[in-house]
Amino acid sequence: MRKMLTIISNVLRGSASRNKCDLHKLEEGPPLQAMLSREEGLQYYRTMQTMRRMELKADQLYKQKIIRGFCHLYDGQEACAVGIEAGINLSDHLITAYRAHAYTLTRGGTVREIMAELTGRRGGIAKGKGGSMHMYTKNFYGGNGIVGAQVPLGAGVALACKYLGKNELCVCLYGDGAANQGQIFETYNMASLWKLPCIFICENNKYGMGTSVERAAASTDYYKRGDFIPGLRVDGMDILCVREATKFAAEHCRSGKGPILMELQTYRYHGHSMSDPGVSYRTREEIQEVRSKSDPISMLKDRMLSNNMASVEELKEIDVEVRKEIEDAAQFATTDPEPPLDDLCNHIFYNNPPMEVRGTNPWTKLKSVS
Amino acid sequence: MTVTVRDALNQAMDEELERDERVFLLGEEVAQYDGAYKVSRGLWKKYGDKRIIDTPITEMGFAGIAVGAAMAGLRPICEFMTFNFSMQAIDQVINSAAKTYYMSAGLQSVPIVFRGPNGASAGVAAQHSQCFAAWYGHCPGLKVVSPWSAEDARGLLKSAIRDDNPVVFLENELMYGVPFEMSEEVQSKDFLIPIGKAKIERQGNHITLVSHSRMVSLCLDAAAVLAKEGIECEVINMRTIRPLDAEAIETSIMKTNHLVTVEGGWPQFGIGAEILAWIMEGPAFNYLDAPAVRVTGVDIPMPYAKILEDNSIPQIKDIIFSVKKTLNV
């Protein structure tokens, strides 16, 4: 059975037709048909499942007090991160806010180093010094804790892309809560004036912490809030919608037309962070309904199964592999030692001779190297 | 030859723009207006729109854009028309620029210079007269520089631009037009002043005066007056606020046994407060023959009327008075 599928796999492609996106100041939107190859489908499935399980494991570790501080989980929104990455290249740039574990993964981080960062160990992607909100990889600028601050940063990255002439762009993400920040409108203005290759993406998961979009925004048409910037509103639970919209947006930027804005309608199963049960401002019924009707992983799975692109066993096998990967990573993350104390004062300055840093009292002089 | 501080800054930027293509300048009125204080005069004409960028009046936005550009490989000079306006953008300076190299454990550096006039000017009243040396000097991850002379301006700005870390460069509007002698050595294209090293502008044996920016002028003037009475002041120009060159100050105190700090900013939690704390905790304490004191701006928002403004910042007579009190003469 499997061999048969393998033979067919190169030929068989699933095609999906999707709903039209809502458009703002755009003549036409992304194509209504998308092609999905078996390889792509399996890869998206695996990545989304990895993200899902990684976040759930983080939930577990947090409740065991092995992860501390802030922990903002992404489960439910997987189609956004995976779909966006599928629409751009690794040589493009991306920046987001604090709900960033999934993006750290799509941008080249490993589950091991992400989890070890959450548990604050030396094997963490930021050597344990950043934590949940401050993870970085090549062309991924975090992980940013201050709501909205990442948006001007992203436009700055886009400015560098344009300046250096490398035909790269920057994907700049923010949430429905951040969408009301003044600095975002300042950024829209400059990005538009200077035609920066910037894809602004609003991940609208309906709640800014505990405040629903209706209570926070006079206009909840986030895709229109860029005013003079063309925008589109996309189903963020459907990975093909996200991918096609991202490709469309990327094409817009790369052709020199300037910035574009995408609103992804999505949903987070967890509360805002681990300290928020997530049910005081929304009903369990609502969460359950999204899970049963719009779960991004289930939707992809159903699509692949109904198009005979994969078998149930195959997908189960991926699940098992993913589970193992997460277990191994969690094992590493809980056993890797914490950073050494003599790393405390390092990484203050780059390319700097070693210097002294005052400790907690005048007699304690600590060493700092770049 | 004599060069004004303004021209020294202009030449430093010009040379660094020429030297490294990744350097660019952005801020309000820096391009077509030639700079609100004409510090960037001629640069837009020479380098064009790509390298000299006029921004809208949106500090938080353009400071963030500058930081992002620095993260992605460029070397921006972000001008604040005055540092008072940097408060709009201070989150980007501290949280996005200063802390990132540390939070990323060395993965992400931010080679950016934030520059502009700082502190009191003349008649611009409370909202336009604050000194931010203490605020920025408080934060790890930043280098904070405060030039006094044209030579300082030139050498320190070049160093700041070549530094791979966020540097806050505090200029002074009243110093822009002041001319200084500049030797040939200082005029060379690779003349750099190291960040973190103070300079002794005047040698003396009786008392150490430590200051930064425009107040260095006042210290030297006060020292000239005191010299006539036989009191020889050693005047130290800090040049850098952070990292503080405590060693230079300690070495001087071990010689003179007396310390007066002089700053334009407010007293509480300020530059002088920090220097005095360092001295208390360090080897120079045992060499003090009298308590170290601070001369500072008056602890009030800056008033407008000239007579009030004049009495809100240190005057030469205040320095002389404090020196004599400290020396008990």
Side-chain angles (χ1 to χ4, degrees), chain A residues 52-122:
Chain A
R52 175 69 58 92
R53 301 243 69 92
M54 178 176 77
E55 297 294 78
L56 293 178
K57 177 57 73 175
D59 169 283
Q60 215 177 66
L61 292 175
Y62 194 94
K63 286 171 177 153
Q64 294 174 305
K65 299 198 196 300
I66 298 172
I67 297 177
R68 36 189 285 280
F70 289 131
C71 191
H72 307 87
L73 299 178
Y74 198 73
D75 49 312
Q77 300 186 211
E78 294 86 357
C80 296
V82 179
I84 289 169
E85 194 62 46
I88 58 174
N89 310 315
L90 263 179
S91 55
D92 290 316
H93 307 257
L94 189 142
I95 190 170
T96 186
Y98 45 76
R99 201 175 302 280
H101 309 158
Y103 289 100
T104 315
L105 193 66
T106 52
R107 291 260 100 199
T110 65
V111 182
R112 261 165 82 98
E113 46 189 11
I114 293 170
M115 300 217 73
E117 187 60 34
L118 292 175
T119 56
R121 307 303 164 101
R122 65 180 68 185

Side-chain angles (χ1 to χ4, degrees), chain A residues 126 129-130 134 136 141 146 149 152-153 156 163 183 186 189-190 194 344 346-347 349-352 358 370, chain B residues 21 23 50-51 54 58 60-62 64-65 68-69 91-92 101-105 107-108 141 143 164-165 281:
Chain A
K129 295 173 91 163
H134 308 296
Y136 303 79
Y141 305 86
I146 307 296
L153 294 180
Y163 190 107
Q183 57 187 318
E186 296 186 13
N189 184 38
M190 286 181 273
W194 302 335
L344 180 68
N346 293 338
H347 310 117
F349 293 130
Y350 176 51
N351 231 357
N352 218 56
R358 186 198 147 91
S370 283
Chain B
E21 276 180 358
V23 176
K50 180 180 173 181
R51 314 272 316 270
D54 274 335
T58 50
M60 199 168 185
F62 72 70
I65 284 178
D91 174 68
Q92 296 290 2
Y101 192 66
Y102 187 86
M103 291 192 294
S104 67
L107 285 174
Q108 180 64 67
K143 297 188 185 183
D164 290 328
N165 298 287
E281 291 181 345

Side-chain angles (χ1 to χ4, degrees), chain B residues 80 82-87 114-117 132 136 168-170:
Chain B
F80 291 121
T82 78
F83 266 93
N84 300 285
F85 313 144
S86 75
M87 283 198 285
F114 297 101
R115 52 158 288 273
F132 290 86
Y136 289 116
V168 170
F169 192 88
L170 303 170

Side-chain angles (χ1 to χ4, degrees), chain B residues 22-34:
Chain B
R22 300 167 298 169
V23 176
F24 71 100
L25 171 67
L26 88 169
E28 294 155 13
E29 310 298 348
V30 297
Q32 298 189 21
Y33 196 83
D34 272 337

